[in-house]
Amino acid sequence: MARPRQFDEEQVIRAVRDQFWDAGYAATSLEDLVRVSGLGKGSLYGAFGDKHRLFLKALREYTDTSGGYLREMLASAPRAVDALRAFVMAPVNDPGGAAARRGCLMANSTYELATSDPDVLAEARRTYEATTALVAESVGRAQDEGDLPRDVNPVEMARALLAAQQGLVFMGRTGLDIDTLTATARTLAVKLLPDA
């Protein structure tokens, strides 16, 4: 009979997720994963498989959690257009700029691995299509509320907003100062989502 696990799986996944997020996949060693998880090599791989499977599990946990936060944020806003503006401005929410420099784990992983890892490419497509669908729902709601024109295609607008937001994520990773990045985000929000 197998022994029950003596560790908190969610805590381990969060710890390795943060390691991958901070260092990237290629720069994260087995020793790094053992150190941050607090598990031995055998226990870590016995529970989660190899480095690649552990990475994919951490990435899926991140994207599912982020998707839940996005769904809640978009649905809870009194006006959909305000939620859409907040979505575009999200990469500059940290006044010190640390979050902008850290970026988004999914975006960072896409940049690093999507051309060489079909599993990461599939996760990126799944995530960005799910995000597009959520944002498109809010675009439709903003149209119903009279804040966006009816002739705007909700899916095309959602992709444009996602591209703008991910462009800000990328620019934040370059170390662009937070004031310049924030001004850029405001310009994008004003141009893409003008006041009615």
Side-chain angles (χ1 to χ4, degrees), residues 14-167:
R14 282 191 304 272
V16 299
R17 176 205 64 201
D18 287 346
Q19 174 62 39
F20 286 126
W21 196 349
D22 292 335
Y25 179 80
T28 295
S29 68
L30 173 58
E31 291 76 24
D32 293 327
L33 296 173
V34 167
R35 178 181 45 78
V36 300
S37 70
L39 300 178
K41 186 181 347 178
S43 296
L44 185 65
Y45 278 9
F48 300 105
D50 62 15
K51 175 183 171 182
H52 187 252
R53 289 197 341 222
L54 180 56
F55 173 73
L56 292 174
K57 186 168 183 63
L59 186 61
R60 175 59 68 98
E61 181 276 332
Y62 172 85
T63 58
D64 287 349
T65 300
S66 296
Y69 290 147
L70 177 61
R71 176 178 279 107
E72 184 179 318
M73 185 273 290
L74 292 172
S76 66
R79 289 180 52 221
V81 72
D82 293 333
L84 294 170
R85 288 186 184 114
F87 172 75
V88 171
M89 298 293 293
V92 296
N93 280 343
D94 171 19
R101 288 186 298 278
R102 190 178 197 205
C104 160
L105 177 60
M106 183 73 257
N108 298 352
S109 301
T110 302
Y111 303 144
E112 180 183 3
L113 299 168
T115 59
S116 62
D117 187 329
D119 294 325
V120 172
L121 178 60
E123 184 65 20
R125 287 181 175 161
R126 181 192 76 83
T127 300
Y128 295 133
E129 285 305 314
T131 301
T132 299
L134 288 172
V135 174
E137 286 177 23
S138 286
V139 170
R141 190 172 134 217
Q143 289 173 317
D144 292 343
E145 293 167 352
D147 290 320
L148 288 177
R150 283 278 175 203
D151 64 344
V152 170
N153 179 300
V155 173
E156 290 173 6
M157 174 60 87
R159 285 197 179 110
L161 294 171
L162 178 58
Q165 191 233 41
Q166 288 296 293

